[in-house]
Structures are given as structure tokens and as C-alpha cells.
Amino acid sequence: MRHNPDYALDDVETVRALVRENPWATIVSHVPGEGLVASHYPVLLEEDAEGISIVSHVGRPDERLHQLGRHETMVIVYGPQGYVSPSWYGTSPAVPTWDFAVAHLFGTPEILSDDENLAVLDRLVSWFESPLPDPYLMHRTLENTAYAERIVHGTVGFRLRATRIEAKEKMHQDKSPEVIARVVEALRNPGPYENPKLADRIADVNRDVLDGKEVTA
């Protein structure tokens, strides 16, 4: 990822929140003799762990494609992102840009036992089902439990404790309060680039500036 200190995201708690709120991740490995391999799966932040630790699973045979557990793997998590038109700035000259939040988590995966994998799958289902009025939990019936215990053998669970993190958040921090406010408003308006999540993120990152407060280091 391009080095740019102005947009570096160094706060671990902010990165943890990024993972928690954006669980769909890209898993990338460089496999000797094969090259790059990428897969896409949901991940779950381990809330009680120090630093950043995630758990997930891959469907077989992805564990063989990645040689999971044998070398370092990178997991990419994306936050809100989207196009920003220079026509929204109200200033000239101006060029278009793309605002985004992203984290690269590096570590060597630890392969989970079937029982641990089943527990992780249960937590994943509970996490995503809990907002629904009638959550369809993995163990809601004996029949569903038995089905889950059968299909778990088609997956391989893993834990990745991040030993290195590269994260960046580009949310117009280098612009004036007036420009930031116009961008936030434009992203909230109906249109081809309507993006309320990105608007909220830009507003949150630049809260002190938008509130007329002095930004402290």
C-alpha cells in the first residue's frame, strides 16, 4: 500500500472497529511455486484478544490452495469507500478522487480443530443473525445442529493474530471545512454517487474541523 503519513491509520481501536463493522474480507497468500492466491470470506474480530485477532473459515480446497498455516497471509478489510467529484468542491482547480478506509492484516494463520471451527461458525451465524427479529441460529433445532455438524467438515477454520498492520483512511483530511461539508452533503444527496456511509465516515473523521475546533495531534 502506498506510504502516505497524512492518511495513516495507526489507532488499533479504530482498526478493530473497521474490522468489526466491515467483516467481508479478502484473504491473499503468496504460495511458493504457484504465485498469488486470493479468496473472500467473512471474518469475526476476537473482542477479548489483545491487538487484532480474527477468526474465520475457508471452504475446502481453499486451505490447500493457500497452504493455510504454512506461511504469512494478508487479510484485507475494506471500510466505506467511493468516488468524489471535483464538481462538489466549489473551488478551482480541482480533480476527482476516491475516499476510502482499508486495513491490511498480516500473520500466519493457526488452523482450528473441528470443534473450534464449529464454535466459530456458530459465533459467525449468531453475529449476523442477531439483528433480525427472528434469528435463525445454528443450533435452533436438533436437526439444524446435526446439519451444521455435517457440513463443518467441508470447511477449515483458522485464527489469524495480526503481527503487522498497515491501515489507511483517506477522508478529505487535507481539505478545508467548507469543501469537506460540501462533499458530505453531495454524498448524502440522491444521485449516481449517493453514498451515505461514506458521508458519515468523512464527517466523523473530520468532526473537529467541521465543528470549528482546533485539531490536536
Side-chain angles (χ1 to χ4, degrees):
M1 186 155 46
R2 176 172 173 256
H3 179 66
N4 190 329
D6 291 340
Y7 304 132
L9 186 53
D10 299 321
D11 181 66
V12 173
E13 287 305 315
T14 302
V15 177
R16 284 169 60 88
L18 188 70
V19 176
R20 185 185 302 116
E21 296 164 8
N22 303 276
W24 185 246
T26 300
I27 303 168
V28 182
S29 302
H30 184 270
V31 179
E34 298 293 335
L36 291 173
V37 177
S39 299
H40 311 273
Y41 290 93
V43 299
L44 190 64
L45 180 72
E46 293 199 287
E47 298 289 352
D48 297 334
E50 292 186 7
I52 297 180
S53 178
I54 58 174
V55 287
S56 186
H57 65 279
V58 298
R60 297 182 187 274
D62 270 8
E63 86 287 0
R64 295 201 303 272
L65 294 174
H66 283 269
Q67 295 185 2
L68 208 63
R70 293 171 57 180
H71 47 69
E72 187 178 57
T73 294
M74 177 173 65
V75 175
I76 305 173
V77 176
Y78 302 89
Q81 51 80 29
Y83 178 76
V84 176
S85 169
S87 66
W88 302 339
Y89 287 10
T91 61
S92 183
V95 294
T97 191
W98 202 281
D99 278 3
F100 63 91
V102 67
H104 295 178
L105 313 177
F106 299 86
T108 301
E110 166 196 343
I111 304 302
L112 303 180
S113 67
D114 279 351
D115 287 344
E116 290 173 314
N117 186 24
L118 187 62
V120 167
L121 290 172
D122 188 23
R123 288 170 54 199
L124 273 168
V125 172
S126 297
W127 175 259
F128 291 112
E129 284 290 318
S130 60
L132 299 176
D134 182 21
Y136 200 102
L137 301 179
M138 203 164 73
H139 297 295
R140 64 183 285 144
T141 65
L142 290 175
E143 180 184 26
N144 216 67
T145 295
Y147 177 66
E149 290 174 347
R150 289 197 304 272
I151 67 169
V152 71
H153 299 295
T155 68
V156 174
F158 69 90
R159 171 179 289 107
L160 186 140
R161 305 179 197 273
T163 55
R164 181 163 57 98
I165 301 167
E166 293 180 2
K168 186 185 291 188
E169 185 163 57
K170 178 183 175 295
M171 295 288 165
H172 270 70
Q173 299 97 314
D174 58 341
K175 300 300 182 184
S176 69
E178 294 77 17
V179 168
I180 296 170
R182 292 188 194 105
V183 169
V184 169
E185 181 181 8
L187 289 168
R188 287 178 175 157
N189 288 336
Y193 296 112
E194 181 180 3
N195 194 335
K197 287 187 176 181
L198 180 59
D200 291 346
R201 187 82 179 193
I202 295 172
D204 186 56
V205 169
N206 296 284
R207 181 60 57 201
D208 287 342
V209 172
L210 293 175
D211 288 346
K213 299 177 182 177
E214 182 178 353
V215 179
T216 58

